[in-house]
Structure formats: C-alpha cells, structure tokens
Amino acid sequence: MQEPTFLILTALAAAPRHGYGVIQAVEELSGGTVKLRAGTLYGALDRLAEQELITVDREEAVEGRLRRYYRLTDAGAGVLAGEISRLRRNAEAAEEQLRRRPGGLAAGFAYGR
C-alpha cells in the first residue's frame, strides 16, 4: 500500500470527512510531508470506494456546492489494521538490523526522528 492511500484510510478511521478535510488530515498525519492535490485525492477516493474500503457517508449542500463525506468501511478498517501490522513488523525488523550494526542504533542514526 502506498503512503498516501494509508494516510487517506487513516484520516477516515475515526470519523467521516469531506474531501478537503481528508487533505488537511493527511497533511497533519504526515507532519506536512504528504500534501495531496484535489485530483489525486478524488481519484484515490474513487478507487478506494470501488474496492469497498470506503463509502459515501452522506452529502450536504454548502454554499450551493455539494459536499460529500466519506467513511471507512469495516473492510477498510480490516485492510488498514493489516497494513499497520505489516508496517510494524517491517519497522521492528529494520530496528533489529540497526541494533546489529557496529555501534548499534546510535551509530549514524538519529532514532525517533
């Protein structure tokens, strides 16, 4: 799973959000390193909806424009949980390999950044 997809699913994990809310949440979750453009986001939302990982929660008119809210489905929550486990295993394996490095974690590695 690519990082933007992971972050979109994460942004929708706690509560439904509209598109701009997802963009803001992804930027915040990534510490500002992932900034989604609207075209990229809506393409990803359409793909995730086709995969039944997210669904439209509701729509409302705001200042004459339709605002669509998306939410994570149970299937999406399962996929997200699986990805969290996979990333955690990979991070632990990487950390173990760094411990085996001469000098340990501190040798050339700023842990926790």
Side-chain angles (χ1 to χ4, degrees):
M1 179 181 295
Q2 294 186 357
E3 184 178 24
T5 301
F6 177 79
L7 292 169
I8 290 168
L9 294 177
T10 301
L12 295 172
R17 294 180 189 267
H18 57 78
Y20 184 66
V22 173
I23 288 172
Q24 290 176 309
V26 164
E27 187 170 344
E28 183 179 319
L29 288 165
S30 71
T33 62
V34 177
K35 297 179 183 190
L36 296 175
R37 294 178 186 228
T40 302
L41 172 68
Y42 289 105
L45 291 173
D46 287 344
R47 180 178 45 80
L48 293 168
E50 285 175 14
Q51 296 170 350
E52 299 182 349
L53 301 180
I54 66 169
T55 191
V56 174
D57 183 69
R58 68 185 185 279
E59 296 178 335
E60 64 185 25
V62 177
E63 297 178 10
R65 297 183 64 193
L66 188 63
R67 181 177 287 174
R68 184 173 288 159
Y69 287 77
Y70 298 88
R71 68 174 169 81
L72 195 63
T73 63
D74 290 343
V79 168
L80 181 58
E83 186 66 7
I84 291 166
S85 294
R86 186 188 72 80
L87 290 170
R88 185 174 288 126
R89 283 190 310 273
N90 288 348
E92 288 169 356
E95 192 173 49
E96 178 59 29
Q97 293 305 307
L98 279 173
R99 280 192 191 96
R100 293 178 182 183
R101 184 172 188 251
L105 277 173
F109 180 69
Y111 186 73
R113 288 191 180 189

